[in-house]
């Protein structure tokens, strides 16, 4: 098998299954009644955290590719992005259904009056737009606009950490860790940009 | 240290070590002379057996709710006690080594009688009562808890508060070594709470020393904590070492930390939202932990004003704007 096929037929399915592990863990905990005294909150937090982690993993693709020189890493970006969308979508559905119990008035009130929810909704909306336009055909059709839309994943990263930060009661340790990771990832890109503009000017 | 008895306080009265040790074993036996260790396997393994003394001579109370209490496991594994960490399971995880005896309580401020008291002396003059109360956390979850304790008002009256005592302030132990959560500066230590004197003299608040007929587990505030059932849970301060009668409103911990989110009164009120979430409804813990299907049928319930204790306490707030004084 050549290199390309090895990635396509072996590595991709493997990573796909790996991405489902957090989901499987949660299902196992539900089945074993192992979610503690407040299972709904535990489920919602689990999916929110994994959504955020997948967003960060997606943002890590380009730095990893550049640093290791392994171009094939970029081929996992779409999968990671779709999993980010999947985990956030479940996070959102749990909120709609089990937390707000599909009460429309409560839902609307929260979206407009609770800033951390407003921010979460903005991030989710961008993720939906990206998920809907994630196929190669649409990408070709949209051209430059596609790239502009999908660059908003940086914004989604910022919104997601901000959302986490605002919803904690007092202890910001965990959102702080995510904020630092995000800053490193975004900082690296800014540095890259600055480097290329420098070399362009030089030539 | 000068240890006084609440009943007749003479500064000269110093407790001998023997009497002190006696008291200690008495406490470990669970405040009960018999000191029987419960065959409590019926309850749970969350709290080690050697910390689970049964309390005796407990009276029932007309203030108890008839609602079914939450399980011992729910009550002892899911709560907030930042002295042991900020996660809901942290109090259970990190309080196991905590040794709550011996314990003294310092009473000070505007009262005829003040001083330091052994917990045992503090509790002894009173009959233990079981109070099965609703507990509503500010985070919009709730439980039913079968506390065992003594009425706060009875305790406070013994110290004969002066007319200048408008408030009662409580403080939790500060001990970074034994309370690992205090190594973080997430709140300012000591944890401080307070009530107006009228609130404190209401028959509902108790100083709890027990849970489910046994000594209070560490994670729930051993050896002695406040329970004020019509206020959000953070008012019910745990691990109390200081009680002070004062003319000035105490600067309470959560109010100090986020004044626009947590007020001094903190009465349960479905009409006044927390800035980040609604307080109109609450999730009753436990009703959803019976496996897969129960998660999806665990609907929330309406939150009641004053947590359903309006009949006993609403009059305390006549003329007070509860939206401003949240
Ligand atoms: C990119 C989108 C989003 C990400 C990455 C995300 C991530 C997170 C994370 C990491 C947490 C904290 C979990 C914890 O405490 O351990 C959280 C909490 C929460 N999120 Fe999101 N979220 C997103 C969108 C949304 C949306 C759209 C909503 C609802 C409209 C929402 C509602 C909530 C709520 C209610 C909580 C608090 C849950 C609790 O009480 O513990 N989130 N989210």
């Amino acid at each position: 098998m050549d290199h390309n096929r090895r990635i396509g037929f072996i590595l991709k399915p493997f990573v796909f299954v790996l991405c489902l592990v957090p989901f499987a863990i949660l299902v196992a905990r539900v089945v074993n009644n192992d979610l503690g005294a407040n299972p709904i909150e535990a489920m919602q937090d689990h999916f929110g955290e994994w959504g955020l982690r997948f967003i960060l993993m997606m943002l890590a693709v380009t730095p990893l590719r550049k640093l290791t020189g392994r171009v094939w890493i970029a081929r996992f970006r779409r999968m990671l992005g779709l999993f980010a969308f999947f985990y956030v979508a479940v996070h959102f559905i749990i909120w709609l259904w089990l937390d707000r119990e599909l009460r429309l008035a409560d839902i609307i009130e929260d979206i407009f009056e609770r800033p951390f929810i407003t921010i979460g909704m903005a991030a989710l909306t961008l993720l939906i737009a990206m998920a809907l336009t994630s196929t190669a055909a649409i990408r070709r059709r949209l051209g430059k606009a596609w790239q502009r839309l999908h660059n908003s994943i940086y914004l989604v990263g910022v919104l997601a950490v901000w959302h986490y930060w605002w919803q904690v009661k007092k202890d910001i340790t965990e959102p702080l860790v995510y904020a630092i990771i995000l800053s490193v990832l975004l900082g690296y890109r800014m540095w890259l940009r600055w480097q290329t503009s420098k070399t362009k000017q030089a030539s | 240290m000068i240890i006084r008895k609440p009943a007749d306080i003479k500064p000269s009265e110093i407790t001998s070590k023997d009497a002190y040790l006696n008291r200690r074993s008495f406490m470990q036996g669970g405040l009960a002379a018999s000191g029987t260790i419960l065959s409590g396997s019926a309850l749970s393994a969350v709290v080690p057996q050697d910390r689970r003394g049964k309390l005796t001579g407990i009276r029932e109370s007309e203030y108890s709710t008839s609602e079914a209490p939450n399980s011992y496991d729910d009550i002892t594994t899911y709560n907030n006690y930042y002295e042991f960490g900020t996660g809901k399971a942290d109090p259970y995880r990190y309080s196991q080594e905590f040794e709550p005896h011996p314990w003294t309580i310092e009473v000070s401020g505007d009262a005829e009688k003040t001083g330091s008291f052994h917990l045992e002396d503090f509790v002894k003059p009173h009959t233990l009562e079981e109070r099965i109360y609703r507990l509503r956390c500010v985070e919009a979850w709730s439980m039913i808890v079968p506390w065992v304790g003594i009425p706060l008002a009875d305790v406070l009256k013994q110290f004969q508060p002066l007319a200048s005592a408008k408030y009662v302030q409580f403080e939790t132990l500060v001990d970074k070594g034994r309370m690992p959560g205090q190594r973080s500066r997430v709140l300012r230590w000591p944890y401080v709470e307070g009530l107006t004197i009228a609130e404190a003299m209401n028959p509902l608040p108790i100083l709890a020393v027990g849970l489910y007929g046994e000594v209070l587990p560490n994670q729930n505030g051993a050896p002695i904590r406040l329970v004020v059932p019509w206020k959000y849970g953070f008012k019910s301060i745990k691990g109390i070492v200081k009680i002070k009668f004062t003319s000035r409103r105490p600067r309470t911990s959560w109010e100090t930390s986020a004044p626009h989110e947590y007020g001094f009164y903190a009465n349960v009120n479905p009409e006044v939202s927390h800035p980040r979430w609604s307080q109109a409804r609450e999730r009753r813990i436990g009703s959803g932990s019976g496996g897969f299907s129960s998660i999806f049928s665990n609907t929330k319930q309406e939150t009641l004003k004053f947590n359903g204790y309006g009949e006993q306490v609403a009059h305390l707030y006549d003329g007070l704007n509860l939206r401003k004084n949240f």
Side-chain angles (χ1 to χ4, degrees), chain B:
Chain B
M1 195 196 317
I2 297 174
I3 307 291
R4 303 173 190 183
K5 285 208 174 82
D8 60 329
I9 295 152
K10 294 192 209 90
S12 60
E13 193 178 279
I14 297 171
T15 309
S16 72
K17 194 164 180 228
D18 267 357
Y20 176 88
L21 288 175
N22 253 336
R23 289 209 188 98
R24 188 179 162 170
S25 56
F26 167 78
M27 264 320 274
Q28 283 173 333
L31 289 163
S34 65
T36 26
I37 298 292
L38 184 78
S39 54
S41 49
L43 292 174
S44 151
V46 170
V47 178
Q49 279 303 331
D50 59 353
R51 291 200 184 278
R52 299 191 53 174
K54 186 154 179 69
L55 301 171
T56 52
I58 304 169
R59 184 162 71 191
E60 287 185 2
S61 165
E62 54 173 332
Y63 296 115
S64 287
T65 169
S66 56
E67 293 160 274
N70 276 84
S71 71
Y72 187 86
D73 272 11
D74 281 349
I75 298 168
T76 54
T77 58
Y78 187 87
N79 70 338
N80 285 310
Y81 193 177
Y82 276 29
E83 277 75 356
F84 292 103
T86 56
K88 295 280 188 305
D90 288 351
Y92 150 60
R93 275 193 211 122
Y94 303 119
S95 71
Q96 299 297 327
E97 301 299 314
F98 184 76
E99 174 50 67
H101 299 292
W103 193 270
T104 44
I105 299 172
E106 183 196 302
V107 179
S108 65
D110 302 356
E112 292 288 347
K113 299 182 180 177
T114 54
S116 286
F117 306 95
H118 277 303
L119 174 68
E120 299 73 6
D121 296 329
F122 206 82
V123 175
K124 216 188 301 179
H126 308 278
T127 307
L128 295 178
E129 282 182 36
E130 173 159 77
R131 299 271 181 114
I132 307 172
Y133 279 156
R134 290 180 287 276
L135 173 125
R136 170 63 158 77
C137 178
V138 73
E139 298 163 359
W141 54 266
S142 63
M143 291 193 189
I144 307 288
V145 186
W147 303 110
V148 177
I150 52 182
L152 176 67
D154 293 355
V155 175
L156 297 185
K157 275 176 202 152
Q158 287 200 309
F159 300 103
Q160 299 172 13
L162 305 174
S164 55
K166 299 277 186 276
Y167 298 91
V168 188
Q169 173 171 322
F170 302 87
E171 281 181 32
T172 299
L173 176 71
V174 181
D175 188 338
K176 283 192 175 63
R178 292 153 77 200
M179 296 180 140
Q182 290 179 338
R183 286 170 214 160
S184 139
R185 277 181 303 191
V186 60
L187 288 176
R188 213 191 296 164
W189 316 111
Y191 192 87
V192 174
E193 259 311 332
L195 297 172
T196 66
I197 197 82
E199 290 172 333
M201 291 302 173
N202 183 276
L204 286 182
I206 58 165
L207 288 169
V209 295
L211 171 71
Y212 260 111
E214 300 182 356
V215 285
L216 194 64
N218 288 337
Q219 57 265 46
N220 297 93
I224 187 162
R225 65 167 292 167
L226 184 65
V227 176
V228 190
W230 73 92
K231 291 175 180 283
Y232 293 122
F234 68 84
K235 293 295 290 182
S236 293
I237 182 171
K238 307 180 181 79
I240 298 169
V241 291
K242 286 187 187 168
I243 298 178
K244 185 177 167 190
F245 296 94
T246 162
S247 57
R248 297 189 27 208
R249 191 165 107 175
R251 288 177 39 86
T252 58
S253 288
W254 280 102
E255 188 190 13
T256 307
S257 131
H260 54 293
E261 300 196 346
Y262 310 98
F264 172 78
Y265 287 96
N267 292 319
V268 175
N269 191 343
E271 296 150 26
V272 180
S273 294
H274 183 280
R276 287 181 287 150
W277 56 85
S278 160
Q279 296 290 24
R281 299 169 67 76
E282 66 198 45
R283 178 164 321 278
R284 178 61 52 81
I285 297 299
S287 40
S289 40
F292 187 73
S293 61
S294 75
I295 288 178
F296 302 96
S297 56
N298 173 215
T299 53
K300 291 188 167 184
Q301 58 191 65
E302 306 274 331
T303 287
L304 304 173
K305 197 162 184 178
F306 300 116
N307 204 19
Y309 296 98
E311 198 185 316
Q312 287 89 0
V313 301
H315 67 274
L316 294 170
Y317 309 102
D318 283 345
L320 190 73
N321 182 336
L322 292 175
R323 198 164 284 279
K324 277 195 191 131
N325 298 281
F326 56 85

